[in-house]
Amino acid sequence: MTSPFGVLRRLTAPRSAPVPAGERCEMCAESIGEPHQHVVNVEGRQLMCVCRACYLLFTDREAELRYRAVPDRYLAFPDVVIDQAEWDALEIPVGLAFFFRNSALGHTVAFYPGPAGATESELPLPRWREILTNHPELDVAAEDVEALLIRMPHRGRPGACLLLPIDACYEFVGRMRLLWHGFDGGQEAHRYIEEFFATMSARARTGGSR
């Protein structure tokens, strides 16, 4: 088994050339396969593909580290109902977004999908706090590495609230960018949304209050 000290030695060793992401660890250049794990560069808000040994170096949530490991936690909140007035107060123009607290910025930001990819929106902080006060079971996401994905009801389709690893959310909006056509995204994008929520909901266990 690779020790943390061995990992640190590899991190500080000279490198001859960069290696392709997804094939080798972006920290130590060890080979990695699919699926693999990720860490977040907190300051740059970047995901990095890493091996298991490097991942374990950054799992301490209490430590003040530049990098943080993305956990493998999926929660569903079937009893949470966010009403339209609460959603409108967040000033998000579509009925689908994910939210996470960025520790470098010191506040929660929202991302919602569209033809340009993930559009970032700085939330009216008091109104977001009202949502968490009204629905305290949602106030469980680890900053930087977990996000709340919320979909509002639409045309008879029920809404949903999920807590997901941040890399799953970025994968979602990246895929949406490729599929999106026209004003409302088109049938292929909407089909992918349904498939994504079904897959994530199947993986999730029911969340509870903190």
Side-chain angles (χ1 to χ4, degrees), residues 140-189:
V140 294
E143 60 184 12
D144 300 306
V145 294
E146 291 182 324
L148 287 168
L149 178 62
I150 299 177
R151 181 174 68 170
M152 295 296 289
H154 181 65
R155 296 180 180 177
R157 178 204 65 205
C161 294
L162 299 171
L163 181 142
L164 305 175
I166 194 68
D167 51 3
C169 291
Y170 282 133
E171 179 183 353
F172 171 69
V173 294
R175 182 66 174 163
M176 286 291 292
R177 180 179 182 177
L178 295 176
L179 297 176
W180 195 280
H181 295 288
F183 178 75
D184 69 347
Q187 291 184 354
E188 193 173 3

Side-chain angles (χ1 to χ4, degrees), residues 58-69:
F58 305 105
T59 55
D60 186 352
R61 290 190 182 183
E62 304 303 321
E64 294 186 8
L65 301 172
R66 179 181 177 184
Y67 302 100
R68 291 186 181 172

